[in-house]
Amino acid sequence: VQLQASGGGLVQAGGSLRLSCAASRSIFSIDAMGWYRQSPGKQREMVAAIRSGGSTNYADSVKGRFTISRDNTKNAVYLQMNSLKPEDTAAYYCNGDIRVGQLSAIRRYWGQGTQVTVSS
């Protein structure tokens, strides 16, 4: 199973981007899904997470600007990013706590990074 992320790019400060991430094939279930980001010289940090029931949590730095959502029918998670700031520049990674088969253990999978660059 792979998580495939897309939607990054170059945007001016104040602009918007929408990131998408979906599983590459059919799976049994996904519990929590989320987005992390990492910029050069910094540790990877949690941006937003959403559980299968829809409850969410956000990093303080993005509250009110970013919205995480998911489509359980598509095994996908999205991140709508508004009012982007130069400090949001980073590689963004999605993840999911996935049970591949009915008898499989839950394991965390990561997508490849998608670069977001916000110019001032």
Side-chain angles (χ1 to χ4, degrees), residues 18-60:
R18 185 175 187 252
L19 305 183
S20 300
C21 174
S24 60
R25 63 176 178 88
S26 178
I27 55 178
F28 182 73
S29 66
I30 305 180
D31 187 10
M33 303 186 79
W35 291 93
Y36 281 65
R37 66 187 181 187
Q38 187 170 21
S39 49
K42 294 186 178 181
Q43 288 189 327
R44 188 174 295 191
E45 62 173 354
M46 191 277 290
V47 176
I50 184 168
R51 299 195 67 86
S52 57
S55 61
T56 59
N57 61 291
Y58 296 90
D60 288 343

